Amino acid sequence: MRTDRTIACVRRAAMVAFLATIAQGTTSATADLDRPATATVLNPDLAGLTMAADGTLLAWGSDASLWRHEASPASAPGTDAWQPAQTPHDRRIRAVAEAPGRATGSALVAVGDGGLLLHSVDGGRRWTHALVSSASGDRPLDPELDLAAVACDARRCLAVGPKDTLLHSFNGGAHWHDVTSEASDPPRPHGAFTTAALTVDGSAWVGGADGRLWQDAGPGSTWREHRLPAADQAALPAIDALAADGDGVLLATADGRLIALSGAGSRGLLSHRSPRGSYTRLSPLPTPGGWIATGSEGACVWREAASTPWRDCGALPQRFLRGAASSPDGQHWVLAGEGGLLLHGRPPARPWRLVALPVLETRPDLEAVAWSDALRGFIA
């Protein structure tokens, strides 16, 4: 089998949702063998991608825009298989997560600016306001509050944002409670929260723009603050990315550090520090404990497993790398970034190669990239 067969899937798959200003509806173009296909959407810019457990792809961004692609191997690239969802909001969506294992099947949660906290039980076709408990009853989230991230597992969901906003849900994201008001024992978690993760041991982890990292050992347990490796705690940089890593977490900071913490609550080990830009995205590899870390100025490192050292991705353009993805066999990697940058390779065996994009009036930033099992290729 040819080693470049998977990248041909990249060229045939629908490369979705570049920045566009089109009067109405969607347009598409069928790909040939030399270029990927594109689908442009009405008005908003799209900044995130998620693949649900059933293979449905979700793309989201500004203006509460959320698009669904019920992909199948027979889907033609660039067709109108992307359909807009109905959302009762008009602000930017920041993150989407799936809450698996509910009695009625998986639920979806979307969070964002201006009190955007939405819930779907039909695979993302229709969204409703999730409710937050308060002294005056259950109601939608205060529009003065922003949410930056959401994480879910089969037991609970967490949603976080600035202004000490930390919410949790135990019914798949339909109803939420304020953790900071319910915490009975000090210290109550506080800070400008930016990211959250749930680990296999039941712990919840929350990181913030002030460099604070908080953990609880399970629902109802006391929250504790972790001290990260630093000479001066007050000078800690922002935690830009946080990901479950076995029973612990891996986090990336704004000064280019990658730090690993165990679930037992160790002080944390500095795994790597970038010689240039910061790392803002952690993307999983198919191997257990495998990750790619990407960020500014072409910063990119990877590790094969938790016990192996970080390795440099090789020579890359010094642009902001906003996302990375791997094929299921781990033999093909794609990096996406600013200025329409799209690269295919597999260090150290295969050098990076620029993937040609369709002819566009602008070179829009590519904000995210993901592998689609149904399309047998990458979506950016």
Side-chain angles (χ1 to χ4, degrees), residues 222-247:
T222 300
W223 286 82
R224 59 172 296 194
E225 183 180 359
H226 285 271
R227 299 285 177 172
L228 302 182
D232 181 5
Q233 179 73 8
L236 280 175
I239 298 174
D240 285 338
L242 181 66
D245 191 33
D247 66 348

Side-chain angles (χ1 to χ4, degrees), residues 44-132:
D45 61 303
L46 301 183
L49 284 168
T50 289
M51 186 171 68
D54 65 359
T56 298
L57 286 161
L58 299 170
W60 67 88
S62 63
D63 304 294
S65 59
L66 209 153
W67 291 72
R68 300 176 67 258
H69 189 287
E70 295 181 356
S72 69
S75 297
T79 68
D80 60 358
W82 286 91
Q83 299 294 334
Q86 299 176 17
T87 56
H89 216 286
D90 61 0
R91 301 296 296 276
R92 175 176 289 276
I93 296 173
R94 296 289 179 181
V96 174
E98 183 174 16
R102 316 313 307 175
T104 57
S106 295
L108 293 166
V109 179
V111 302
D113 297 346
L116 191 150
L117 180 58
L118 305 177
H119 178 248
S120 174
V121 294
D122 64 357
R125 295 175 182 83
R126 292 176 297 276
W127 295 77
T128 59
H129 289 288
L131 300 179
V132 181

Side-chain angles (χ1 to χ4, degrees), residues 26-47:
T26 62
T27 64
S28 63
T30 302
D32 57 27
L33 295 180
D34 297 321
R35 295 184 181 276
T38 62
T40 53
V41 302
L42 171 67
N43 186 35
D45 61 303
L46 301 183

Side-chain angles (χ1 to χ4, degrees), residues 190-233:
H190 59 277
F193 303 128
T194 57
T195 183
L198 295 162
T199 52
V200 294
D201 64 351
S203 295
W205 300 77
V206 177
D210 53 6
R212 295 178 181 270
L213 180 70
W214 299 84
Q215 178 203 10
D216 81 351
S221 64
T222 300
W223 286 82
R224 59 172 296 194
E225 183 180 359
H226 285 271
R227 299 285 177 172
L228 302 182
D232 181 5
Q233 179 73 8

